[in-house]
Amino acid sequence: MTDHPASLPPSLLVVEDDPALRMLIVRALREHGYGLRAAATGAEMWAMLESAPADLIVLDIMLPGTSGIDLLRRLRRESETPVIFISARGSEEDRVLGLELGADDYLPKPFGTRELAARVGAVIRRHAGPAPVRAGGDYLFDGWRLSRARHELRGPDGTLVDLTGAEFDLLSIFLDQPQRVIARQRLIELSRMRLADSSDRSIDVLVSRLRRKLGLAGQGAPIVTVRGIGYMFTAEVARA
């Protein structure tokens, strides 16, 4: 999220190549009090972000030239700006891919503008609220070290492990409550992911990615599934 005076509305950037839909989205979100800019291509999106950051991007996947998928990949290398994907491709595989890449929400076309506005508001509130990690200091577990101040994770051999913002937040939640079962819905609420329906696999995808990255040291990741409830971080955690 960008830092701006509280009196100014959140700034949104809509990236959609269909002129009619782009105008419809802009008008609808403007009626909800947001500041709006619009782009039809990835090149226009980058130009607008260079001139001024956005608090949230509504991004179509199927764009001319560079796809929304590729745009999000590049964006996540540079920023944690919230992104809501919109797409005519609404399969579960597409939703999961978008979430794996770091999207905050995924809305298949056709959709109602009221639903879009509600999802925009929910994502903005989550990112504007307090982060799951509230205090300074480092966490130590199984030879790993997570630094809150530096926002980094190092393995037992000192190697820096690359985590997305959502992965870092989720691991921080586990480290705040080690050896306790945390309900899946509670993880969704505490993380940056959207509140999901029963078919949404956002938290499962994040946990799978964390397990894979924590397993790079040659030992099993200390995150176990508690069937029918959620997950538990099993390692002993110390503060440094």
Side-chain angles (χ1 to χ4, degrees), residues 15 22 65 88 92 96-97 127 133-134 170 176 193 199 221 224:
V15 187
R22 184 171 64 246
E92 182 181 27
V96 170
L97 176 59
H127 281 260
V133 177
R134 294 180 175 86
L170 185 60
D176 272 330
M193 302 306 297
S199 66
V224 300

Side-chain angles (χ1 to χ4, degrees), residues 18-92:
D18 183 300
L21 180 57
R22 184 171 64 246
M23 183 60 65
L24 177 66
I25 293 173
V26 167
R27 287 177 176 173
L29 294 178
R30 188 169 285 148
E31 289 177 358
H32 283 78
Y34 298 113
L36 266 299
R37 292 177 294 166
T41 65
E44 290 181 10
M45 182 188 89
W46 293 122
M48 290 185 178
L49 290 176
E50 288 176 3
S51 64
D55 291 305
L56 182 144
I57 300 172
V58 177
L59 180 59
D60 186 18
I61 289 182
M62 301 176 68
L63 293 169
T66 306
S67 72
I69 294 290
D70 291 332
L71 292 174
L72 181 61
R73 283 195 179 100
R74 175 181 166 186
L75 183 69
R76 282 293 169 260
R77 292 195 296 266
E78 304 173 4
S79 124
E80 286 297 317
T81 301
V83 171
I84 295 179
F85 262 149
I86 56 175
S87 176
R89 302 186 307 188
S91 69
E92 182 181 27

Side-chain angles (χ1 to χ4, degrees), residues 6-191:
S7 59
L8 293 180
S11 172
L12 310 186
L13 176 56
V14 176
V15 187
E16 165 62 59
D17 64 314
D18 183 300
L21 180 57
R22 184 171 64 246
M23 183 60 65
L24 177 66
I25 293 173
V26 167
R27 287 177 176 173
L29 294 178
R30 188 169 285 148
E31 289 177 358
H32 283 78
Y34 298 113
L36 266 299
R37 292 177 294 166
T41 65
E44 290 181 10
M45 182 188 89
W46 293 122
M48 290 185 178
L49 290 176
E50 288 176 3
S51 64
D55 291 305
L56 182 144
I57 300 172
V58 177
L59 180 59
D60 186 18
I61 289 182
M62 301 176 68
L63 293 169
T66 306
S67 72
I69 294 290
D70 291 332
L71 292 174
L72 181 61
R73 283 195 179 100
R74 175 181 166 186
L75 183 69
R76 282 293 169 260
R77 292 195 296 266
E78 304 173 4
S79 124
E80 286 297 317
T81 301
V83 171
I84 295 179
F85 262 149
I86 56 175
S87 176
R89 302 186 307 188
S91 69
E92 182 181 27
E93 290 76 14
D94 289 319
R95 292 198 303 272
V96 170
L97 176 59
L99 294 169
E100 284 181 331
L101 292 173
D104 295 80
D105 202 346
Y106 187 111
L107 189 59
K109 298 177 183 178
F111 53 81
T113 55
R114 289 180 59 188
E115 180 180 7
L116 175 61
R119 295 192 183 217
V120 166
V123 171
I124 286 178
R125 285 193 299 273
R126 283 198 304 277
H127 281 260
V133 177
R134 294 180 175 86
D138 292 0
Y139 284 122
L140 306 176
F141 64 96
D142 290 348
W144 295 78
R145 188 182 194 102
L146 181 139
S147 171
R148 289 173 161 176
R150 293 187 295 274
H151 205 274
E152 68 180 24
L153 174 68
R154 291 190 178 274
D157 61 354
T159 301
L160 186 64
V161 178
D162 182 40
L163 295 181
T164 66
E167 291 167 353
F168 186 92
D169 288 346
L170 185 60
L171 180 56
S172 299
I173 294 169
F174 282 129
L175 296 179
D176 272 330
Q177 304 180 60
Q179 301 176 2
R180 292 179 56 187
V181 177
I182 308 177
R184 185 175 182 276
Q185 186 65 29
R186 184 59 178 158
L187 287 172
I188 294 173
E189 293 169 357
L190 290 172
S191 75

